[in-house]
Amino acid sequence: MVSKAGFALVLAVLVCGQYAVQGVYIVSKAEWGGRAPNYRVALDNYLNYAIIHHTAGNYCETRAACAQQLRNVQSYHMDELGWPDIGYNFLIGGDGAVYEGRGWNSLGAHAAEWNPYSIGISFLGNFNWDTLEPNMIAAAQGLLNDAVSRGQLASGYILYGHRQVSATECPGTHIWNEIRSWSHWREIQSRIMASKALIALAVLLCANAVLGVNIISKSQWGGRSPNGKSTLANKLSYAVIHHTAGNYCSTRAACEQQLRNIQAYHMDSLGWADIGYNFLIGGDGNVYEGRGWNVMGAHATSWNAKSIGISFLGNYNNDRLTSAQISAAKSLLADAVSRGQLVSGYTLYGHRQVGSTECPGTNIWNEIRTWANWRA
């Protein structure tokens, strides 16, 4: 027999496993019968904007009806518009439930040039005439609070209606009248000013971006300062690819924890001056700064002084590379050439080619042997 306390614990675990946040139940894509995305692109944390939409379609007030609407919207976005997935990060039904769209840390397709800087939340229905119910308002506000608590949104984020950043009636009159009373909503004086603000934000973000790859700095992931560093020359002839052979991560928070664990092991157990690699790539598609540019690594004995070391977080004898990770690695290597860290004709090796190891794991090994600069 299971005690009442034991039953309650099991029930709590089951509920948490089905995705609850701030008292808001999130219905997963699998639960509403959604299709897997064709691919995904990572979305950064600490975003400055949240954008509110409506789907402009049918209203729903039961789980079954909302699930059907979601499948319809996803099919339209993928099959008619050619997008890789439903456009929004989350959707809210008339039943008061939050439904997973692209979810956390996945770039949406909901507001053109604002997609990389915002999360998109859409209400199911046409709110030029449909009524926004209190349970829907509570769900949206709970979801936004959770986005802040988990670090997807900055605490001082700005809330816009879609009509403020694009020529549209979205999110409908009733939603528009409601969200303007929310504490994070802000007015935009003009579309021109909005464009200027976006350009200014893009300029600031460029400090950490290379060829479309967002590099998360060591300070951003909570890394420690090195005990020392040796200069690494420019115009290197080699890049060496690794895996960490540890846990895989698919969110920024999980990847940052892995990075802190690896750095602690390298510094405290191995006695190295810092984390060993120049850069690391997570399952979230982000590039994370390790020792960085022009600093000698500790990743491939006898090769450290003549190569940069790039490591994928995970064990790729078992874990699978995503298209976002592959794109991030190739773009990082291209940037290394453009900034002069690598020569244009550099040679790419897997760690197993220069050391007695299985690294970088079978799946990475099979992939990199198709890249233009790899050599046997």
Side-chain angles (χ1 to χ4, degrees), residues 145-319:
N145 288 339
D146 186 64
V148 172
S149 71
R150 65 172 61 238
Q152 179 78 92
L153 287 176
S155 59
Y157 74 91
I158 292 172
L159 182 76
Y160 288 143
H162 189 196
R163 64 176 64 183
Q164 292 178 272
V165 299
S166 185
T168 176
E169 288 189 348
C170 180
T173 303
H174 293 153
I175 293 176
W176 174 241
N177 290 339
E178 169 62 32
I179 65 172
R180 286 187 294 167
S181 69
W182 296 4
S183 60
H184 286 268
W185 181 82
R186 296 291 183 271
E187 182 64 270
I188 296 181
Q189 296 300 317
S190 70
R191 294 280 301 285
I192 293 174
M193 289 183 67
S195 295
K196 287 182 177 178
L198 191 60
I199 291 168
L201 178 63
V203 169
L204 288 172
L205 291 175
C206 278
N208 281 333
V210 293
L211 294 174
V213 178
N214 186 45
I215 296 187
I216 310 299
S217 69
K218 188 181 289 182
S219 63
Q220 287 177 293
W221 59 258
R224 294 152 55 180
S225 298
N227 294 331
K229 60 173 65 175
S230 299
T231 300
L232 182 66
N234 277 327
K235 305 297 181 184
L236 300 170
S237 296
Y238 303 98
V240 180
I241 300 295
H242 304 256
H243 71 167
T244 59
N247 291 335
Y248 182 81
C249 58
S250 57
T251 68
R252 176 157 164 185
C255 290
E256 289 178 347
Q257 185 60 59
Q258 285 302 308
L259 286 155
R260 292 190 291 269
N261 293 346
I262 292 165
Q263 185 184 42
Y265 174 68
H266 285 183
M267 295 179 74
D268 301 334
S269 297
L270 300 183
W272 296 353
D274 197 357
I275 193 169
Y277 314 105
N278 296 93
F279 296 96
L280 302 95
I281 298 172
D284 58 348
N286 281 319
V287 176
Y288 293 88
E289 180 186 28
R291 299 198 180 192
W293 303 116
N294 295 109
V295 178
M296 188 184 301
H299 59 91
T301 307
S302 302
W303 292 78
N304 293 324
K306 53 188 176 184
S307 67
I308 60 169
I310 299 170
S311 189
F312 290 86
L313 288 158
N315 187 323
Y316 292 85
N317 286 315
N318 305 308
D319 298 322

Side-chain angles (χ1 to χ4, degrees), residues 210-213 215 239 241 281 287 293 308 310 326-346 348 371 373:
V210 293
L211 294 174
V213 178
I215 296 187
I241 300 295
I281 298 172
V287 176
W293 303 116
I308 60 169
I310 299 170
I326 294 168
S327 177
K330 288 181 175 179
S331 293
L332 181 63
L333 288 163
D335 186 66
V337 172
S338 70
R339 66 173 60 240
Q341 182 80 89
L342 289 175
V343 296
S344 59
Y346 72 92
L348 183 74
W371 296 6
N373 287 79

Side-chain angles (χ1 to χ4, degrees), residues 49-121:
Y49 301 98
I51 298 178
I52 301 296
H53 305 255
H54 71 166
T55 58
N58 291 335
Y59 182 81
C60 60
E61 53 188 358
T62 68
R63 169 88 170 262
C66 290
Q68 184 59 60
Q69 284 303 307
L70 286 154
R71 292 191 292 270
N72 293 346
V73 173
Q74 187 185 40
S75 292
Y76 175 68
H77 287 181
M78 295 180 73
D79 300 334
E80 300 297 325
L81 300 183
W83 296 350
D85 197 357
I86 194 168
Y88 313 107
N89 295 93
F90 296 95
L91 301 95
I92 298 171
D95 58 347
V98 177
Y99 292 87
E100 181 187 27
R102 297 198 182 191
W104 303 117
N105 295 107
S106 289
L107 182 71
H110 58 91
E113 67 267 23
W114 291 79
N115 293 328
Y117 314 115
S118 65
I119 59 169
I121 300 170

